[in-house]
Amino acid sequence: MRRFVANRLVKTAAAASLFSSNKTTTTTTSSTPLLSRFLTSSPPPNPIMPSHSITLDFINPKVIECEYAVRGEIVNLAQKLQQELVDKPGSHPFDEILYCNIGNPQSLNQQPITFFREVLALCDHPAILDKSETQGLFSADSIERAWQILDQIPGRATGAYSHSQGIKGLRDTIAAGIEARDGFPADPNDLFLTDGASPAVHMMMQLLISSKNDGILCPIPQYPLYSASIALHGGTLVPYYLDEATGWGLEISELKRQLEDAKSKGVTVKALVVINPGNPTGQVLAEENQRDIVEFCKAEGLVLLADEVYQENVYVSEKKFHSFKKVSRSMGYGDKDIPLVSFQSVSKGYHGECGKRGGYMEVTGFSPEIREQIYKVASVNLCSNISGQILASLVMSPPKVGDESYESYTAEKDGILSSLARRAKTLEDAFNGLEGITCNKAEGAMYLFPRLHLPEKAIKAAESAKTAPDAFYARRLLNATGIVVVPGSGFRQVPGTWHIRCTILPPEDKIPAIVERLTEFHKGFMNEFRD
Amino acid sequence: MSTKGLDYESLNENVKNTQYAIRGELYLRALELQAQGKEIILTNVGNPHALGQKPITFPRQVVALCQAPFLMDDPNVGVLFPADAIARAKHYLSMTSGGLGAYCNGGGLLGIRKEVAEFIEKRDGYPSDPELIYLTDGASKGVMQILQTIIRGQGDGILVPVPQYPLYSAATSLFGGSLVPYYLEETANWGLDIQNLHQSVSEASAKGITVRAMVIINPGNPTGQCLSESSLKEILQFCNQENLVLLGDEVYQQNVYQEERPFISAKKVLMDMGPPMSKQVQLVSFHSVSKGYWGECGQRGGYFELTNIPPQTIDEIYKIASISLTNCTGQIFLGIMVNPPKPGDISYDGFLRESNAILGSLGKRARIMTKGFNSCRNVVCNSTEGAMYSFPQIRLPPKAVEAAKRAGKVPDVFYCLKLLEATGISTVPGSGFGQKDGVFHLRTTILAAEEDMHGIMASLKKFNDEFMEQYEDTTEAILGLNE
């Protein structure tokens, strides 16, 4: 049994007695909270005898069980080092921290798309739309689009709660955008606009999971939102392994095998998660592969949960993004044939608007009773943030040929996407040039997931440090170079293999320095640990 | 068409059991009628801007500049935006790692958490730690996160006031916990009775339920009452005795329309009590940009502050917060709300004028509604001391209750549907909030435009009095027996 699974079982068993404290003063003044629970590498804590007075010590074990490595232990250390660089310049062999851990483009100097921000600004402050000076500060088509959007909002009130699925007019726009993309119609009533794609994923997990006997098939490696969400809602993650040797290929035989295995253990598998383009793996599925997946879900009665947030991030000419909706419709499967949930977000693509929290899920093939339940859960939070809703509609219907902003929009978009493609290639080559590292191509998304073929000595050193080998490597890398990556164990991997996830997002002019530092560090590491 | 993966029967029971009436049957019927062209007055949600309240200007200026920082490079920006808005936009942008489009750290932008801490300190007179403040997509998200952290299963009970804002019952249900109601006393101005609370806990214990937390909504929703300092003290002592964490929903703290009971935060009362209480009673306090005089519901901005929560639990809360981050724009609204323009600032006068106008009008409308309801036959209405709602008791005659039964509807739903069909006024039936058996209410907001208020109340009275005439037994009416 893999170590982190064992850790979790220990944690869950000890949960009830775990967090009681005999101290009565509990306000913390440290600037970074303890994150002892975060990564697989931390040893199980010692159970403490419960005190009788404090009840928030006894908390939901599912909360304890859930893990999310993207902002885990390594990141914490990075923030600490960053502070040290400020307090004691020269205290480290690098003078800046380079965050390659998270798909957060605008924190690394990527600029937002001007047209989108113009429209958002006008929608936030419609009072200036009537002023003549506004014409001088904003493009004409952004003003026009803002009017159009405001007219779709009752009372032009962008500060009001909207319909719980999102403003109808914006859903109409998004549906039209989906249709333009796929060539198949989309129904605005199938759309739920959410604060980013993540809350939509949570909603579906909450709906589908009743107990530990409910399983969700997830790719390994996976973006740990899925494992975290499944744990939080008390379900079972049923892994299916992507094949690193074939560019992270998804084999139906593997899906079948894992499904049968789950069944034999009494787990009812309810859904299949597919991330396309993949995170952390970056592969773009071939259309044929997608058809096989659709057939598999249909045959097995599974809901297909299609995470398509990287649909605009494809860097190789031989692959194209096809939505699962398009694929299933082109196979002749309609709304009555297959339940499919497609997730999209404003956080990725070329727009990279992570902080705005915009996104949606398109829910098709569900009975009215179930849709009612989805609506109900959405309604408890009333609605998602309006600015994010507007942005989602802009992403799905950007400037067109002939629009005043079209050229500048296209230049910005192409600039970003071509730069991403270049950085993906440069970093892929850099990793492949290192001894004992193999790195699959990033066909899409925003990450590289190189495999570390670590020498035995390194693995032993990691074990004595009570750390997973990839976390050991990542920590060493950080301390030596300031480069922050996420250990592969955070995403899960074939047992006994080790990876790190590195984003392709640092600014292009920093990439040479990153490659240089990485190369130097790795040479030193291998010299130290070579068998 | 229903597949194995998604058979209705196999859906999460907790989801199926969850109810949230605010956007339920009445609202959906109202939307239907609206789609048919009927004029509908939506008074079902505390959603001020949807009923014509204008946004406060200054925060909108700041946020617009934050959305499009390139505006500030233009030499003409000063024509459209005052200098203090420009400065404030730069101030907030400098807190981010890349403007509004970059993820904010789990917990929210530190700079804004500091502003919130300063606000709390000024308000209460006690220091507040930014590290113990978590910014959330609206207070509702924060409530959900905390309840999810507390509730382990059906054996965990949450003490919730009846009537309550149904987020609490919905969230408790969603996370598989048990709702333990405590009744507010309508005849005592919706006051709470500590003996009653102790009883609720004992009854729950007898059923094998461990009560873990107590929710108070102050000012109250739907009831509008403002808790006195002595009430808050009693509540804190009760939580201490019963080992409960107190969840203080204080989102209406700016909406107070009388002077006898101004808003006082649970944290202040707790700190005033001194050690050991001030160092051991666990408290989570919630606030939002959706209410007050701001009414910026659509921005999804809010926070919770933790008091006396153990560090390991804080870690877990931080972890959950890190998985689903909060939108930056909402955080900036929050920052401006807790740190508004000050005397001497260019925008101060305008800001003050706008705020006072809204608050003054809310108070007026609260009084018009209370008076109006009390003039209706068989209707008794407590005054709206705070928050945004009126919660009149509708004394439905037995014949009306029977008619409701025949129609397959809960009696107050029946009344509210008829009210909607007759007048276009969309309310939320009291059953959505919980009430004593056989006692019926409806909740309406006080948010309709001031100039429409008298017309709305007249329309309500006409409908009500006709309804009562229709369903009253004449003999009973003469004898004044209406229960």
Side-chain angles (χ1 to χ4, degrees), chain A residues 23-244:
Chain A
K23 292 194 222 150
T24 48
T25 38
T26 52
T27 50
T28 177
T29 52
S30 63
S31 55
T32 43
L34 303 168
L35 286 163
S36 51
R37 228 30 87 236
F38 250 74
L39 262 192
T40 61
S41 48
S42 50
N46 296 315
I48 304 166
M49 284 312 294
S51 93
H52 295 288
S53 58
I54 318 271
T55 42
L56 201 53
D57 302 333
F58 301 79
I59 66 176
N60 184 354
K62 295 181 232 168
V63 165
I64 298 166
E65 189 174 314
C66 124
E67 292 175 337
Y68 187 67
V70 178
R71 289 184 195 90
E73 195 179 299
I74 298 284
V75 177
N76 240 45
L77 175 59
Q79 283 166 348
K80 179 162 159 289
L81 297 179
Q82 189 162 41
Q83 194 56 45
E84 282 172 20
L85 286 176
V86 170
D87 300 337
K88 290 178 277 179
S91 54
H92 292 284
F94 48 83
D95 37 43
E96 62 178 331
I97 300 288
L98 285 156
Y99 287 99
C100 303
N101 61 307
I102 180 168
N104 192 12
Q106 293 190 28
S107 74
L108 293 159
N109 286 344
Q110 181 174 307
Q111 294 305 301
I113 299 292
T114 306
F115 177 77
F116 293 167
R117 291 304 191 88
E118 284 181 301
V119 175
L120 289 175
L122 290 166
C123 290
D124 270 334
H125 190 35
I128 60 174
L129 278 167
D130 293 323
K131 305 232 165 96
S132 57
E133 293 89 349
T134 304
Q135 320 285 340
L137 279 175
F138 292 85
S139 62
D141 53 347
S142 71
I143 294 173
E144 198 186 316
R145 183 72 79 99
W147 275 124
Q148 208 183 87
I149 290 169
L150 289 167
D151 283 342
Q152 292 170 333
I153 301 176
R156 300 208 181 122
T158 52
Y161 291 125
S162 71
H163 186 286
S164 294
Q165 285 177 243
I167 293 162
K168 176 66 169 39
L170 298 178
R171 284 185 278 134
D172 290 340
T173 303
I174 293 171
I178 293 171
E179 181 164 353
R181 179 195 69 195
D182 293 345
F184 292 95
D187 184 347
N189 292 324
D190 289 343
L191 296 173
F192 288 79
L193 306 194
T194 47
D195 290 306
S198 298
V201 170
H202 279 295
M203 254 197 268
M204 289 313 300
M205 294 306 175
Q206 185 160 55
L207 189 78
L208 292 170
I209 296 170
S210 293
S211 75
K212 265 264 175 249
N213 296 328
D214 289 325
I216 311 285
L217 268 164
C218 289
I220 302 298
Q222 48 99 48
Y223 172 51
L225 165 69
Y226 293 96
S227 44
S229 188
I230 292 165
L232 211 46
H233 294 107
T236 294
L237 189 150
V238 178
Y240 67 88
Y241 291 88
L242 301 175
D243 187 0
E244 187 160 12

Side-chain angles (χ1 to χ4, degrees), chain A residues 433-460:
Chain A
L434 299 176
E435 179 191 348
I437 294 193
T438 51
C439 187
N440 279 342
K441 182 180 259 333
E443 296 183 334
M446 288 179 176
Y447 315 96
L448 286 162
F449 200 62
R451 178 153 167 208
L452 314 172
H453 303 262
L454 293 168
E456 212 28 59
K457 245 174 121 185
I459 296 182
K460 289 222 157 53

Side-chain angles (χ1 to χ4, degrees), chain A residues 10 14 67 114 156 215 223 239 285 315 331 389 446 453 464 500:
Chain A
V10 173
E67 292 175 337
T114 306
R156 300 208 181 122
Y223 172 51
L285 293 171
Y315 311 124
M331 291 165 77
Q389 291 186 32
M446 288 179 176
H453 303 262
S464 341
I500 50 172

Side-chain angles (χ1 to χ4, degrees), chain A residues 159-396:
Chain A
Y161 291 125
S162 71
H163 186 286
S164 294
Q165 285 177 243
I167 293 162
K168 176 66 169 39
L170 298 178
R171 284 185 278 134
D172 290 340
T173 303
I174 293 171
I178 293 171
E179 181 164 353
R181 179 195 69 195
D182 293 345
F184 292 95
D187 184 347
N189 292 324
D190 289 343
L191 296 173
F192 288 79
L193 306 194
T194 47
D195 290 306
S198 298
V201 170
H202 279 295
M203 254 197 268
M204 289 313 300
M205 294 306 175
Q206 185 160 55
L207 189 78
L208 292 170
I209 296 170
S210 293
S211 75
K212 265 264 175 249
N213 296 328
D214 289 325
I216 311 285
L217 268 164
C218 289
I220 302 298
Q222 48 99 48
Y223 172 51
L225 165 69
Y226 293 96
S227 44
S229 188
I230 292 165
L232 211 46
H233 294 107
T236 294
L237 189 150
V238 178
Y240 67 88
Y241 291 88
L242 301 175
D243 187 0
E244 187 160 12
T246 59
W248 299 114
L250 200 169
E251 300 298 324
I252 302 295
S253 52
E254 166 67 3
L255 291 178
K256 282 204 173 100
R257 189 171 31 246
Q258 297 295 349
L259 178 61
E260 293 311 315
D261 187 60
K263 268 189 205 165
S264 70
K265 295 194 189 120
V267 172
T268 310
V269 179
K270 317 246 347 234
L272 169 70
V273 172
V274 181
I275 309 173
N276 181 45
N279 175 6
T281 47
Q283 87 285 18
V284 177
L285 293 171
E287 213 176 335
E288 197 188 314
N289 207 183
Q290 287 182 276
R291 285 196 285 267
D292 292 339
I293 292 166
V294 169
E295 292 289 10
F296 173 75
C297 288
K298 178 132 181 61
E300 301 291 346
L302 304 179
V303 178
L304 179 52
L305 301 174
D307 177 340
E308 301 179 329
V309 304
Y310 294 102
Q311 55 187 265
E312 305 267 9
N313 301 101
V314 178
Y315 311 124
V316 295
S317 50
E318 64 268 20
K319 289 280 182 73
K320 230 184 124 225
F321 169 77
H322 303 283
S323 77
F324 269 101
K325 171 112 175 294
K326 173 174 146 190
V327 169
S328 32
R329 293 291 179 271
S330 59
M331 291 165 77
Y333 290 133
D335 200 53
K336 300 216 181 311
D337 300 310
I338 169 167
L340 165 65
V341 184
S342 313
F343 302 95
Q344 165 63 316
S345 167
V346 306
S347 302
K348 312 299 175 188
Y350 54 90
H351 20 89
E353 296 277 23
C354 307
K356 300 290 301 164
R357 312 316 291 128
Y360 67 80
M361 60 179 178
E362 183 187 10
V363 174
T364 55
F366 286 46
S367 69
E369 295 87 22
I370 294 173
R371 293 175 56 89
E372 252 174 58
Q373 297 300 319
I374 301 177
Y375 170 83
K376 184 174 66 178
V377 173
S379 76
V380 177
N381 200 48
L382 286 154
C383 69
S384 64
N385 85 84
I386 306 301
S387 190
Q389 291 186 32
I390 294 173
L391 185 53
S393 79
L394 293 170
V395 162
M396 294 307 287

Side-chain angles (χ1 to χ4, degrees), chain A residues 18-19 24-31 33-38 48 52-61 63-64 66-68 71 79 102-104 106-107 114 117-118 120-121 123-126 128 131 133-134 136-138 157-164 195 198-199 202 206-210 225 228 232-233 270 300-301 303 335-336 339 347-348 352-357 366-367 369-370 373 375-377 379-387, chain B residues 1-8 10-13 15-20 22-23 27-28 31 45-47 49-50 57 60-61 63-64 66-71 74 76-77 79-81 97-105 129 131-132 137 140-141 144 148-152 165 167 170 174-175 212 243-245 279-280 282 290-291 295-300 308-320 322-329:
Chain A
L18 209 49
F19 295 109
T24 48
T25 38
T26 52
T27 50
T28 177
T29 52
S30 63
S31 55
L34 303 168
L35 286 163
S36 51
R37 228 30 87 236
F38 250 74
I48 304 166
H52 295 288
S53 58
I54 318 271
T55 42
L56 201 53
D57 302 333
F58 301 79
I59 66 176
N60 184 354
V63 165
I64 298 166
C66 124
E67 292 175 337
Y68 187 67
R71 289 184 195 90
Q79 283 166 348
I102 180 168
N104 192 12
Q106 293 190 28
S107 74
T114 306
R117 291 304 191 88
E118 284 181 301
L120 289 175
C123 290
D124 270 334
H125 190 35
I128 60 174
K131 305 232 165 96
E133 293 89 349
T134 304
L137 279 175
F138 292 85
T158 52
Y161 291 125
S162 71
H163 186 286
S164 294
D195 290 306
S198 298
H202 279 295
Q206 185 160 55
L207 189 78
L208 292 170
I209 296 170
S210 293
L225 165 69
L232 211 46
H233 294 107
K270 317 246 347 234
E300 301 291 346
V303 178
D335 200 53
K336 300 216 181 311
S347 302
K348 312 299 175 188
E353 296 277 23
C354 307
K356 300 290 301 164
R357 312 316 291 128
F366 286 46
S367 69
E369 295 87 22
I370 294 173
Q373 297 300 319
Y375 170 83
K376 184 174 66 178
V377 173
S379 76
V380 177
N381 200 48
L382 286 154
C383 69
S384 64
N385 85 84
I386 306 301
S387 190
Chain B
M1 171 181 74
S2 209
T3 67
K4 288 185 292 191
L6 215 54
D7 290 342
Y8 184 77
S10 70
L11 284 188
N12 184 355
E13 281 304 314
V15 168
K16 288 189 272 189
N17 291 334
T18 297
Q19 299 299 324
Y20 185 70
I22 310 284
R23 286 259 165 113
Y27 172 69
L28 293 170
L31 290 182
V45 187
N47 196 11
H49 294 200
T57 306
R60 292 307 189 96
Q61 292 170 326
V63 169
C66 290
Q67 296 276 21
F70 45 82
L71 292 172
D74 191 308
N76 291 324
V77 66
V79 181
L80 282 176
F81 295 91
S97 66
L100 298 184
Y103 283 124
C104 307
N105 281 339
D129 184 352
E131 293 296 336
L132 296 176
D137 280 329
S140 298
K141 266 286 163 65
M144 305 268 278
Q148 181 168 46
T149 304
I150 295 173
I151 296 172
R152 296 166 298 180
Y165 172 52
L167 166 67
L174 218 43
F175 299 124
R212 308 284 311 283
N243 296 320
L244 309 179
V245 52
K279 290 208 187 296
Q280 75 195 21
Q282 297 181 343
S290 301
K291 312 299 175 189
E296 292 279 11
C297 306
Q299 310 299 345
R300 313 320 278 118
N308 295 330
I309 308 300
Q312 295 104 322
T313 307
I314 295 176
D315 286 355
E316 298 297 329
I317 292 172
Y318 178 83
K319 178 177 73 179
I320 299 299
S322 296
I323 301 173
S324 272
L325 298 178
T326 310
N327 89 83
C328 288
T329 313

